[in-house]
Amino acid sequence: MPDPFATLVQELARLPGLGRRSAERAALSLVARGAAAINPLAEALVAARDGVAACTRCGAITPRGADPCRLCTDPARDDAQLLVVEDPGDILAIERSGAYRGRYHSLHGRISPMSGTGPADLTLGALLARLAEGSVREVVLALPTDVEGDATASWLAETVARRAPAVRVTRLAYGLPADSGVRYSDPLTLRRAIAGRQ
Amino acid sequence: MPDPFATLVQELARLPGLGRRSAERAALSLVARGAAAINPLAEALVAARDGVAACTRCGAITPRGADPCRLCTDPARDDAQLLVVEDPGDILAIERSGAYRGRYHSLHGRISPMSGTGPADLTLGALLARLAEGSVREVVLALPTDVEGDATASWLAETVARRAPAVRVTRLAYGLPADSGVRYSDPLTLRRAIAGRQ
């Protein structure tokens, strides 16, 4: 195996979510398809490097040079509310809903013993520093509704209660999704919809 | 989310083994670390594009311009034996052992109902075409010793028996690995080592 291939495998294996075997499979697929597969990826990497960055305050993706991002600096948004998500992509989904006008914070992950992600891998220090600034009165947890998301939310709720006891912690409501119904819903969704009935 | 980020996610999601959510996580990790993370990957991609290719005959990684590869063209190697592996990386491991002097064929994968990989996704047509050339008298299956590897091997053995009945199909021996012992071996390895005792 000549060196350029081994180097590519090694670089791909640095990406979160790609183990060594998957990195080798990905490198093989790229090399086998050649420039038609490699050029778009190489160009996308360079364009992202030059064009965007992660906001150093909330973690949202922002045009390079606009840091803190528009969501952090917009004076019309409410400093008293801080919505916590797993990834910046979640911020976009919430913005599309038009239902939230506060600030954001991306954890850049979730607690996952299975994949070896612990509290130290999340942006928890930055979150607690923002709470210490004193403006935030409510932390809204908008984490995935699965076991790891629940565990992360419980752990965050406890940590915020201990470190910033004046801040209220809420979670998005559980229940039936829109355009769905009882017969299409899994048992856990139904149990949560029944328990949270209004 | 500005466009360069979305484009990068889209390109990363084309890699086998990276789903949409993992691609977003990988893109975020790259953008957050900036040029220090992106430049080595972009450079490795370009170097691999310009420096190596997959051998169009056996699938091994070969310096660009040397296709078919050295393993396919070396006149000292035995055309009567064809060793079948899952990935080109396996070829390197076999070569390091020094125990094999025939030709190679990479399937570029295995049959895996879980990840949606079927026979049509493997390089089976190329394998059967090589058998039809008439030189190969033995196909040596060197596939992973797990459930999917076993299923792929059984399916290949049947296919070769039907399409090239004169070709003998063998598999690498199962048993205890070197520098190990009974007390360190899992039950399946022990069952196979006992069944294959000599």
Side-chain angles (χ1 to χ4, degrees):
Chain A
M1 210 184 316
D3 259 352
F5 187 77
T7 306
L8 179 57
V9 171
Q10 186 184 315
E11 287 301 326
L12 287 170
R14 288 188 212 280
L15 296 177
L18 268 194
R20 173 123 202 128
R21 187 105 206 175
S22 307
E24 194 174 306
R25 188 71 54 81
L28 169 67
S29 155
L30 287 165
V31 165
R33 290 180 292 141
I38 290 176
N39 288 355
L41 177 55
E43 284 158 19
L45 283 163
V46 169
R49 179 195 68 194
D50 296 342
V52 296
C55 172
T56 50
R57 184 162 172 81
C58 75
I61 299 300
T62 181
R64 183 160 290 278
D67 181 18
C69 74
R70 181 182 55 79
L71 295 167
C72 286
T73 54
D74 181 351
R77 299 191 74 106
D78 185 356
D79 281 325
Q81 292 186 316
L82 189 63
L83 187 141
V84 176
V85 295
E86 184 183 7
D87 280 320
D90 301 327
I91 295 175
L92 188 68
I94 302 267
E95 281 296 289
R96 273 196 298 258
S97 78
Y100 179 74
R101 295 296 295 161
R103 307 291 181 188
Y104 288 101
H105 192 86
S106 166
L107 290 176
H108 289 8
R110 63 168 88 176
I111 297 175
S112 168
M114 284 289 287
S115 55
T117 312
D121 299 308
L122 308 181
T123 60
L124 180 74
L127 174 61
L128 293 174
R130 293 180 73 178
L131 299 185
E133 291 170 7
S135 303
V136 176
R137 264 170 286 167
E138 178 182 0
V139 165
V140 183
L141 301 179
L143 296 168
T145 60
D146 56 17
V147 173
E148 291 180 349
D150 279 349
T152 306
S154 299
W155 178 85
L156 267 179
E158 280 169 35
T159 304
V160 171
R162 199 171 60 244
R163 301 284 296 271
V167 175
R168 183 177 167 221
V169 178
T170 60
R171 298 182 63 170
L172 295 193
Y174 286 133
L176 300 183
D179 294 323
S180 183
V182 166
R183 80 172 63 183
Y184 310 111
S185 295
D186 64 286
L188 181 57
T189 298
L190 287 176
R191 279 199 293 277
R192 286 168 166 173
I194 293 165
R197 67 193 182 275
Q198 299 164 359
Chain B
M1 213 184 316
D3 258 354
F5 187 76
T7 307
L8 179 57
V9 171
Q10 186 184 314
E11 288 301 325
L12 287 169
R14 289 189 211 279
L15 296 177
L18 267 194
R20 174 121 202 128
R21 187 103 204 176
S22 306
E24 194 175 306
R25 186 70 55 83
L28 168 67
S29 154
L30 287 165
V31 165
R33 288 181 294 141
I38 290 176
N39 289 354
L41 177 55
E43 285 157 19
L45 283 163
V46 169
R49 179 195 69 195
D50 296 341
V52 296
C55 173
T56 50
R57 185 161 171 82
C58 76
I61 299 301
T62 181
R64 182 159 291 278
D67 182 17
C69 73
R70 180 181 55 79
L71 296 167
C72 286
T73 54
D74 181 351
R77 299 192 74 106
D78 185 356
D79 281 326
Q81 294 186 313
L82 189 63
L83 188 141
V84 175
V85 295
E86 184 183 6
D87 279 320
D90 301 327
I91 296 176
L92 187 69
I94 303 267
E95 282 296 288
R96 272 195 298 256
S97 78
Y100 179 72
R101 294 297 297 161
R103 307 290 181 188
Y104 289 100
H105 191 86
S106 166
L107 291 177
H108 290 6
R110 62 169 88 178
I111 297 175
S112 168
M114 285 289 287
S115 55
T117 311
D121 299 307
L122 307 180
T123 60
L124 181 74
L127 174 62
L128 293 174
R130 293 180 72 177
L131 299 185
E133 290 170 7
S135 305
V136 175
R137 265 171 286 167
E138 178 183 359
V139 165
V140 184
L141 301 179
L143 296 168
T145 58
D146 56 17
V147 173
E148 291 181 349
D150 280 348
T152 306
S154 299
W155 178 84
L156 267 178
E158 280 169 35
T159 305
V160 171
R162 198 171 63 243
R163 301 284 295 271
V167 175
R168 182 177 169 223
V169 178
T170 59
R171 297 181 65 170
L172 296 193
Y174 286 134
L176 300 184
D179 294 324
S180 183
V182 166
R183 79 172 64 183
Y184 310 111
S185 296
D186 63 285
L188 180 58
T189 297
L190 287 176
R191 280 199 294 276
R192 286 168 165 172
I194 292 165
R197 66 191 183 278
Q198 297 164 1

